[in-house]
Amino acid sequence: MEDQVDGNEDYGDKLPVGFRFLPTDVEVVTHFLINKVIYNPFSSFIFQEINATDLYTKSPKNSVQFCNGEREWFFFIYMDMNIDNMHNKAIEKGGDELGFWQSNGDRKCVKDTNGNILATKITFLYFSGSPSHRRKTHWRIDEFRLPIQFYTLHNSK
């Protein structure tokens, strides 16, 4: 008997023992991010949806609900103007918690096999404390963004 996947059910309990979701950067962009942006339906049981404000203005342990005992999670993050403007700065403060997200270097290009740029990737690290007395934590986000031209071409936000 086959299960019908409609993207609204939790399939974590139906995965085989030892299953690991380990997509490459190109796979994350081409199979998941692009399909999400152009409203192409797919099974998204691996991805949670979260508002950027909830993610970037709180401590990571207080901003999202983690599941399946995994140490790596995938999210679709909805950006709002306040957070989008914060990404142009080096540091995002952690709201009520004592901590902040900081970018870890330059944006890297995610390219297809022909060398075409599919997306950019930037890594953010979470630090506890203040910027002058910070302590690096184990929390890290690799954020993928499609080029602005993609949205224009596909008439999407």
Short mmCIF file of all heavy atoms in Angstrom, two decimals, residues 56-83:
data_model
loop_
_atom_site.label_atom_id
_atom_site.label_comp_id
_atom_site.label_asym_id
_atom_site.label_seq_id
_atom_site.Cartn_x
_atom_site.Cartn_y
_atom_site.Cartn_z
N TYR A 56 15.35 34.85 14.11
CA TYR A 56 16.53 35.69 14.30
C TYR A 56 16.48 36.62 15.51
O TYR A 56 17.47 37.24 15.83
CB TYR A 56 16.80 36.52 13.04
CG TYR A 56 17.28 35.67 11.88
CD1 TYR A 56 16.51 35.52 10.73
CD2 TYR A 56 18.49 35.00 11.95
CE1 TYR A 56 16.96 34.75 9.68
CE2 TYR A 56 18.94 34.22 10.90
CZ TYR A 56 18.17 34.10 9.77
OH TYR A 56 18.61 33.33 8.74
N THR A 57 15.35 36.73 16.18
CA THR A 57 15.28 37.65 17.32
C THR A 57 15.21 36.92 18.65
O THR A 57 15.00 37.55 19.68
CB THR A 57 14.07 38.60 17.20
OG1 THR A 57 12.88 37.83 17.18
CG2 THR A 57 14.18 39.48 15.97
N LYS A 58 15.36 35.62 18.64
CA LYS A 58 15.34 34.83 19.87
C LYS A 58 16.53 33.89 19.88
O LYS A 58 17.14 33.61 18.86
CB LYS A 58 14.05 34.01 19.95
CG LYS A 58 12.79 34.83 19.97
CD LYS A 58 11.58 33.93 19.96
CE LYS A 58 10.30 34.72 19.86
NZ LYS A 58 9.14 33.85 19.68
N SER A 59 16.79 33.36 21.05
CA SER A 59 17.80 32.32 21.17
C SER A 59 17.35 31.13 20.33
O SER A 59 16.16 30.82 20.29
CB SER A 59 17.92 31.90 22.64
OG SER A 59 18.66 30.73 22.77
N PRO A 60 18.26 30.43 19.65
CA PRO A 60 17.85 29.31 18.79
C PRO A 60 17.03 28.26 19.52
O PRO A 60 16.06 27.73 18.97
CB PRO A 60 19.17 28.72 18.31
CG PRO A 60 20.17 29.79 18.49
CD PRO A 60 19.69 30.64 19.62
N LYS A 61 17.36 27.96 20.76
CA LYS A 61 16.63 26.92 21.48
C LYS A 61 15.21 27.35 21.82
O LYS A 61 14.36 26.52 22.12
CB LYS A 61 17.38 26.48 22.73
CG LYS A 61 17.54 27.56 23.76
CD LYS A 61 18.34 27.07 24.93
CE LYS A 61 18.62 28.23 25.89
NZ LYS A 61 19.52 27.85 26.92
N ASN A 62 14.92 28.67 21.77
CA ASN A 62 13.59 29.18 22.07
C ASN A 62 12.80 29.60 20.84
O ASN A 62 11.65 29.99 20.96
CB ASN A 62 13.68 30.37 23.03
CG ASN A 62 14.25 29.98 24.36
OD1 ASN A 62 14.08 28.85 24.81
ND2 ASN A 62 14.96 30.90 24.98
N SER A 63 13.40 29.54 19.66
CA SER A 63 12.73 30.09 18.48
C SER A 63 12.05 29.05 17.61
O SER A 63 11.11 29.38 16.90
CB SER A 63 13.72 30.90 17.64
OG SER A 63 14.78 30.08 17.21
N VAL A 64 12.49 27.80 17.65
CA VAL A 64 11.89 26.78 16.79
C VAL A 64 11.70 25.50 17.58
O VAL A 64 12.33 25.28 18.60
CB VAL A 64 12.75 26.49 15.54
CG1 VAL A 64 12.77 27.66 14.60
CG2 VAL A 64 14.14 26.08 15.92
N GLN A 65 10.83 24.65 17.06
CA GLN A 65 10.57 23.36 17.68
C GLN A 65 11.35 22.31 16.90
O GLN A 65 11.14 22.11 15.71
CB GLN A 65 9.08 23.06 17.62
CG GLN A 65 8.66 22.00 18.56
CD GLN A 65 7.14 21.93 18.62
OE1 GLN A 65 6.44 22.44 17.76
NE2 GLN A 65 6.64 21.29 19.64
N PHE A 66 12.29 21.66 17.55
CA PHE A 66 13.12 20.67 16.89
C PHE A 66 12.52 19.30 17.10
O PHE A 66 11.84 19.04 18.08
CB PHE A 66 14.55 20.73 17.45
CG PHE A 66 15.17 22.08 17.28
CD1 PHE A 66 15.36 22.92 18.35
CD2 PHE A 66 15.54 22.52 16.03
CE1 PHE A 66 15.92 24.17 18.20
CE2 PHE A 66 16.10 23.77 15.85
CZ PHE A 66 16.30 24.60 16.94
N CYS A 67 12.78 18.41 16.14
CA CYS A 67 12.13 17.10 16.20
C CYS A 67 13.08 15.98 15.78
O CYS A 67 14.16 16.22 15.28
CB CYS A 67 10.90 17.09 15.32
SG CYS A 67 11.26 17.43 13.60
N ASN A 68 12.63 14.78 16.00
CA ASN A 68 13.28 13.55 15.54
C ASN A 68 14.67 13.30 16.13
O ASN A 68 15.39 12.47 15.64
CB ASN A 68 13.38 13.51 14.01
CG ASN A 68 12.01 13.49 13.37
OD1 ASN A 68 11.03 13.07 13.98
ND2 ASN A 68 11.93 13.98 12.15
N GLY A 69 15.07 14.05 17.14
CA GLY A 69 16.36 13.81 17.76
C GLY A 69 17.54 14.09 16.86
O GLY A 69 18.66 13.70 17.17
N GLU A 70 17.32 14.75 15.74
CA GLU A 70 18.40 15.04 14.80
C GLU A 70 19.20 16.25 15.28
O GLU A 70 18.72 17.06 16.05
CB GLU A 70 17.84 15.31 13.40
CG GLU A 70 17.19 14.10 12.75
CD GLU A 70 18.17 13.00 12.42
OE1 GLU A 70 19.34 13.28 12.11
OE2 GLU A 70 17.77 11.83 12.49
N ARG A 71 20.41 16.38 14.77
CA ARG A 71 21.25 17.52 15.11
C ARG A 71 21.27 18.55 13.99
O ARG A 71 21.93 19.57 14.10
CB ARG A 71 22.66 17.05 15.41
CG ARG A 71 22.73 16.16 16.64
CD ARG A 71 24.14 15.73 16.92
NE ARG A 71 25.08 16.82 17.02
CZ ARG A 71 25.43 17.43 18.14
NH1 ARG A 71 24.89 17.06 19.27
NH2 ARG A 71 26.31 18.40 18.13
N GLU A 72 20.56 18.28 12.90
CA GLU A 72 20.50 19.21 11.77
C GLU A 72 19.06 19.30 11.32
O GLU A 72 18.38 18.29 11.17
CB GLU A 72 21.38 18.69 10.64
CG GLU A 72 21.50 19.62 9.47
CD GLU A 72 22.54 19.15 8.47
OE1 GLU A 72 23.61 18.68 8.90
OE2 GLU A 72 22.27 19.25 7.27
N TRP A 73 18.57 20.54 11.11
CA TRP A 73 17.19 20.75 10.71
C TRP A 73 17.14 21.67 9.51
O TRP A 73 18.06 22.45 9.27
CB TRP A 73 16.39 21.38 11.87
CG TRP A 73 16.46 20.56 13.10
CD1 TRP A 73 15.68 19.49 13.41
CD2 TRP A 73 17.37 20.72 14.19
NE1 TRP A 73 16.05 18.98 14.64
CE2 TRP A 73 17.09 19.72 15.13
CE3 TRP A 73 18.40 21.62 14.46
CZ2 TRP A 73 17.80 19.59 16.31
CZ3 TRP A 73 19.10 21.48 15.63
CH2 TRP A 73 18.79 20.48 16.55
N PHE A 74 16.04 21.60 8.77
CA PHE A 74 15.84 22.43 7.59
C PHE A 74 14.56 23.23 7.77
O PHE A 74 13.56 22.70 8.24
CB PHE A 74 15.75 21.56 6.33
CG PHE A 74 17.04 20.85 6.02
CD1 PHE A 74 17.35 19.65 6.64
CD2 PHE A 74 17.93 21.38 5.11
CE1 PHE A 74 18.54 19.00 6.37
CE2 PHE A 74 19.13 20.74 4.83
CZ PHE A 74 19.43 19.55 5.46
N PHE A 75 14.60 24.51 7.36
CA PHE A 75 13.46 25.40 7.51
C PHE A 75 13.26 26.21 6.24
O PHE A 75 14.22 26.54 5.56
CB PHE A 75 13.69 26.42 8.65
CG PHE A 75 14.01 25.82 9.95
CD1 PHE A 75 15.32 25.69 10.37
CD2 PHE A 75 13.01 25.37 10.79
CE1 PHE A 75 15.63 25.12 11.59
CE2 PHE A 75 13.30 24.80 12.02
CZ PHE A 75 14.62 24.68 12.40
N PHE A 76 12.02 26.55 5.97
CA PHE A 76 11.71 27.61 5.02
C PHE A 76 11.47 28.82 5.89
O PHE A 76 10.61 28.81 6.77
CB PHE A 76 10.47 27.30 4.19
CG PHE A 76 10.70 26.24 3.16
CD1 PHE A 76 9.97 25.06 3.20
CD2 PHE A 76 11.63 26.40 2.14
CE1 PHE A 76 10.16 24.08 2.24
CE2 PHE A 76 11.83 25.43 1.18
CZ PHE A 76 11.09 24.26 1.24
N ILE A 77 12.24 29.88 5.65
CA ILE A 77 12.14 31.08 6.47
C ILE A 77 11.45 32.17 5.67
O ILE A 77 11.91 32.52 4.59
CB ILE A 77 13.53 31.56 6.92
CG1 ILE A 77 14.26 30.44 7.66
CG2 ILE A 77 13.41 32.81 7.77
CD1 ILE A 77 15.72 30.76 7.93
N TYR A 78 10.35 32.68 6.21
CA TYR A 78 9.65 33.79 5.58
C TYR A 78 10.28 35.08 6.08
O TYR A 78 10.30 35.34 7.27
CB TYR A 78 8.16 33.76 5.92
CG TYR A 78 7.47 32.62 5.25
CD1 TYR A 78 7.21 31.44 5.95
CD2 TYR A 78 7.10 32.71 3.93
CE1 TYR A 78 6.59 30.37 5.32
CE2 TYR A 78 6.47 31.65 3.30
CZ TYR A 78 6.21 30.49 4.00
OH TYR A 78 5.60 29.44 3.38
N MET A 79 10.79 35.88 5.17
CA MET A 79 11.45 37.12 5.53
C MET A 79 10.43 38.24 5.63
O MET A 79 9.47 38.29 4.88
CB MET A 79 12.50 37.50 4.48
CG MET A 79 13.56 36.43 4.26
SD MET A 79 14.47 35.99 5.74
CE MET A 79 15.63 37.33 5.78
N ASP A 80 10.66 39.16 6.57
CA ASP A 80 9.89 40.39 6.59
C ASP A 80 10.88 41.54 6.44
O ASP A 80 12.09 41.34 6.51
CB ASP A 80 9.02 40.51 7.84
CG ASP A 80 9.82 40.52 9.13
OD1 ASP A 80 10.96 41.03 9.13
OD2 ASP A 80 9.31 40.03 10.14
N MET A 81 10.40 42.73 6.22
CA MET A 81 11.28 43.85 5.91
C MET A 81 12.26 44.15 7.04
O MET A 81 13.40 44.46 6.78
CB MET A 81 10.46 45.10 5.58
CG MET A 81 9.74 45.01 4.24
SD MET A 81 10.82 44.57 2.86
CE MET A 81 11.85 46.02 2.77
N ASN A 82 11.84 44.05 8.29
CA ASN A 82 12.74 44.35 9.40
C ASN A 82 13.93 43.40 9.41
O ASN A 82 15.07 43.81 9.55
CB ASN A 82 12.01 44.26 10.74
CG ASN A 82 10.97 45.35 10.88
OD1 ASN A 82 11.10 46.41 10.30
ND2 ASN A 82 9.92 45.06 11.63
N ILE A 83 13.67 42.11 9.25
CA ILE A 83 14.75 41.13 9.26
C ILE A 83 15.57 41.23 7.99
O ILE A 83 16.78 41.13 8.01
CB ILE A 83 14.19 39.71 9.44
CG1 ILE A 83 13.53 39.58 10.82
CG2 ILE A 83 15.26 38.65 9.26
CD1 ILE A 83 14.47 39.77 11.99
#
